[in-house]
Amino acid sequence: MVSGEYLDEHHKVKVIACAQCPIACEQMSIVQTGPFAGAMTGVEYESLQANSSNLGISDMRACIQLLELADHAGMDSMSMGVTISYAMECYEKGVLKKEDFKCTQFPEGIELNFGNGEGAVALAKMIRDREGIGNLLAEGTRIASKAIDEERETESYKWAMNIKGLECPGYDARGLKTFSVGLAVGTRGGCHNRSAAYDPDIQGEVNRFTIDETRGKVAADSEEYAAVYDTLPLCKFIRRCFTGKADRAGAWPSIAKLINATTGWHYDYDDVDMIGIRAHTIKKAFNIREGWTTEDDDLPWRWKHDPMTKGASAGYIVTEEELAYLKDIYYKAKGWTADGMLPKELLVKLGMPDVAEQIGV
Amino acid sequence: MVASTSKYKYVVCDPNLCIGCQICEYVCSYTKTGEYNSYRSRIRTVRADEVLITAIACRTCENAPCVIACPRDALTQDSVTGIIHIDSVKCDGCAWCVEACDFGAISINPINKLAEICDQCETLEEGPQCVKWCPKDALEYTTPDQRAQKSRRELIKDSIEFPIKAKDPK
């Protein structure tokens, strides 16, 4: 059983808060029965989906154990969950065999079918301790799939769900077209915290199944909105608290007031706007300096070729043509070149001539 | 378990309700100093473990150990309200009162290095501001009778076994 209601009734101990926050989003949950009794950690949406439904695991107890393990070992629970699901698919498709998962706990190996909670926990421990194949999987799906495919001549990259090496969050971009470009161009890869373009898709502010020329701007705006929140920093859970919409027109005046009250500075709308644009530009510049190109602004193979089979988004994919068009209008909205590079004039206009020098434009 | 022997009112926190948000600390600091600085708060939250959280302010002990401990007679206790008053002229910040307090309710002001303690916002008609602003109603400003009644209620909850769940008697 995987649901907030089930969690609340059977596992939740109490909620705890960050400093000064009355929302208290951290649902501290404990396992009281079964082999994982005693495990306790905070459970939230992304960690939950990556380590339960994403793995076909319906036993919340195994999920809480997985999350506790990730938390205590300092692993990203989302990346860990997606990496385990990659391994599970490899097992079910015969790319990895039972004996590939030999470890101290299971000397014979693990039958790592989807839904095997005990197996998932054992694999998480292997990843944590870099034991056996856990050593490779600890590098994440991008490096692991490349190594496995080279060694075994397989095509496991097709279900290695990552963008720029960061495992994808719990939103299937095949049915969220605006978010698909938000993820593809993400400066740190498939991150739902740096691009919030799923928001207009899910809220119905745009049609999530189609694309049009406005989406580049929508995706760019959501990144800059998120960059302002991350810089201050403000919590994303209050992104709609000022006007009910996550848009700059409503939020920037209030955020300017907060900055001025805290610092005694005199920020206005345009200054706040500049925070978001500059913060995002410097991240992009970092990527360019490190050698990333428009080729890397891509989606996982599955989202481009493998239609969803069930649900409201059944039948949808993001085609190569759609992605190319979306990237194009996104670059235009940002004022970048057609191949996703930062033009010198833009950097100078943003007061970053030194950055232009560093990336050689 | 350390317990207060107070016959006076003081601010108590229900650890079952406290989420550790520290809003009480910031409200206290703002009320007393005009700045948001948890080191200037006279109520302090403590997170002993992931889910073991509470907030603690002065419990107005009878024969208050802090008053007895002060070598300069800077601390006095109001005989009507039980509130501890600190004479900032006599206090030299030696922190003996801090050591004497079983509840960790006294702190040293980081700026003037003198002792500070909860005065239950006695100059404000609204009473303790931490109680007013606590988002989870975990803080209460209670008399001994109210505290006793609360213990009785808890006793009922503990005695009744599953599946009969005691509704929160208000």
Side-chain angles (χ1 to χ4, degrees):
Chain A
M1 291 297 294
V2 178
S3 75
E5 290 79 8
Y6 187 88
L7 184 76
D8 189 68
E9 208 173 309
H10 293 86
H11 298 291
K12 193 172 99 178
V13 184
K14 75 182 296 187
V15 295
I16 58 176
C18 300
Q20 307 141 63
C21 180
I23 297 175
C25 60
E26 196 80 67
Q27 314 285 322
M28 297 304 293
S29 306
I30 193 165
V31 180
Q32 279 164 331
T33 56
F36 310 123
M40 181 175 77
T41 192
V43 179
E44 54 89 53
Y45 168 73
E46 291 289 349
S47 332
L48 181 61
Q49 72 78 21
N51 292 282
S52 60
S53 44
N54 180 48
L55 305 179
I57 292 175
S58 55
D59 185 353
M60 199 75 109
R61 296 173 298 183
C63 173
I64 293 173
Q65 174 63 74
L66 282 166
L67 297 184
E68 190 203 59
L69 228 139
D71 286 350
H72 286 188
M75 296 192 284
D76 172 14
S77 57
M78 291 166 63
S79 285
M80 185 187 87
V82 175
T83 305
I84 294 174
S85 70
Y86 161 79
M88 284 178 159
E89 194 156 347
C90 284
Y91 177 78
E92 292 209 340
K93 292 192 168 152
V95 173
L96 294 175
K97 307 275 187 295
K98 184 180 174 185
E99 54 271 22
D100 286 317
F101 298 104
K102 278 183 192 162
C103 58
T104 337
Q105 194 186 346
F106 296 99
E108 308 278 290
I110 306 168
E111 287 175 14
L112 199 66
N113 292 98
F114 277 103
N116 181 355
E118 216 178 328
V121 171
L123 181 58
K125 285 181 185 159
M126 288 169 72
I127 293 174
R128 177 192 67 189
D129 302 337
R130 286 183 170 264
E131 183 189 0
I133 198 163
N135 189 34
L136 178 61
L137 292 170
E139 301 291 334
T141 51
R142 182 160 163 265
I143 291 175
S145 64
K146 203 165 169 234
I148 289 170
D149 289 347
E150 268 172 22
E151 185 195 303
R152 311 189 176 197
E153 294 176 1
T154 50
E155 294 186 322
S156 73
Y157 69 89
K158 290 183 175 177
W159 56 87
M161 299 304 292
N162 73 78
I163 296 166
K164 298 189 180 80
L166 181 65
E167 282 68 23
C168 292
Y171 308 87
D172 199 308
R174 285 173 290 192
L176 301 167
K177 293 291 167 77
T178 321
F179 192 40
S180 70
V181 66
L183 283 176
V185 300
T187 44
R188 68 189 293 242
C191 176
H192 67 295
N193 269 321
R194 301 299 173 272
S195 169
Y198 59 86
D199 228 16
D201 276 337
I202 291 174
Q203 300 285 340
E205 290 161 17
V206 295
N207 183 343
R208 66 188 177 95
F209 298 118
T210 60
I211 56 175
D212 56 56
E213 71 281 356
T214 63
R215 304 305 172 83
K217 177 97 171 71
V218 173
D221 281 353
S222 96
E223 275 175 353
E224 285 155 16
Y225 193 82
V228 169
Y229 269 62
D230 289 336
T231 306
L232 288 172
L234 290 173
C235 171
K236 299 274 169 56
F237 283 144
I238 61 161
R239 66 184 178 277
R240 290 169 177 271
C241 78
F242 298 113
T243 58
K245 265 185 93 178
D247 66 345
R248 46 182 83 191
W252 282 187
S254 306
I255 288 176
K257 274 190 203 166
L258 290 175
I259 295 175
N260 294 343
T262 311
T263 59
W265 299 342
H266 300 285
Y267 266 54
D268 60 17
Y269 185 99
D270 291 337
D271 297 322
V272 180
D273 215 29
M274 199 55 104
I275 299 177
I277 297 169
R278 282 167 55 101
H280 189 261
T281 305
I282 197 96
K283 287 191 282 188
K284 178 70 183 177
F286 178 89
N287 282 3
I288 292 174
R289 191 189 69 190
E290 298 304 311
W292 299 76
T293 67
T294 183
E295 303 284 302
D296 299 297
D297 289 346
D298 202 1
L299 290 173
W301 185 92
R302 167 162 287 162
W303 284 352
K304 293 191 293 185
H305 300 96
D306 202 357
M308 254 167 129
T309 52
K310 282 187 206 157
S313 306
Y316 281 95
I317 56 167
V318 181
T319 63
E320 295 277 11
E321 294 74 40
E322 279 178 325
L323 182 62
Y325 174 72
L326 283 164
K327 276 165 63 177
D328 194 42
I329 55 174
Y330 166 84
Y331 294 151
K332 277 203 182 95
K334 300 291 286 190
W336 297 350
T337 65
D339 58 350
M341 290 289 143
L342 295 168
K344 187 175 181 184
E345 308 82 68
L346 180 73
L347 289 167
V348 172
K349 203 179 107 198
L350 295 174
M352 306 157 93
D354 52 326
V355 174
E357 210 168 293
Q358 274 201 47
I359 61 171
V361 294
Chain B
M1 168 74 196
V2 190
S4 163
T5 54
S6 179
K7 64 186 176 195
Y8 307 108
K9 285 184 94 170
Y10 63 79
V11 175
V12 287
C13 177
D14 184 341
N16 289 318
L17 297 176
C18 180
I19 56 171
C21 68
Q22 296 175 282
I23 284 178
C24 53
E25 293 182 0
Y26 287 85
V27 166
C28 178
S29 161
Y30 179 70
T31 306
K32 291 294 169 195
T33 70
E35 58 177 285
Y36 290 99
N37 179 351
S38 60
Y39 290 105
R40 298 297 307 276
S41 172
R42 289 113 192 269
I43 184 168
R44 295 293 176 93
T45 55
V46 56
R47 196 174 287 209
D49 188 56
E50 280 171 311
V51 293
L52 296 180
I53 312 167
T54 194
I56 298 168
C58 174
R59 300 203 163 188
T60 60
C61 311
E62 285 182 67
N63 298 319
C66 55
V67 174
I68 297 166
C70 181
R72 296 168 67 88
D73 293 336
L75 277 68
T76 50
Q77 185 165 32
D78 189 303
S79 58
V80 180
T81 62
I83 294 170
I84 310 288
H85 291 124
I86 301 176
D87 184 334
S88 60
V89 178
K90 287 185 183 167
C91 175
D92 67 351
C94 73
W96 282 26
C97 54
V98 176
E99 300 269 345
C101 178
D102 282 336
F103 303 99
I106 308 181
S107 48
I108 299 294
N109 177 330
I111 294 165
N112 65 16
K113 312 284 181 205
L114 303 181
E116 281 181 340
I117 193 166
C118 169
D119 64 0
Q120 304 177 359
C121 295
E122 57 179 341
T123 56
L124 300 174
E125 223 171 276
E126 282 182 326
Q129 294 297 294
C130 53
V131 175
K132 181 186 170 190
W133 289 100
C134 176
K136 299 292 174 194
D137 292 333
L139 295 175
E140 276 187 297
Y141 183 44
T142 54
T143 63
D145 280 348
Q146 287 167 324
R147 295 193 284 274
Q149 183 66 6
K150 192 173 161 65
S151 300
R152 293 180 199 115
R153 289 202 306 253
E154 291 296 320
L155 195 66
I156 300 171
K157 277 196 224 166
D158 290 349
S159 328
I160 295 178
E161 278 174 21
F162 191 79
I164 308 163
K165 226 177 181 177
K167 280 204 182 112
D168 227 353
K170 284 269 151 78

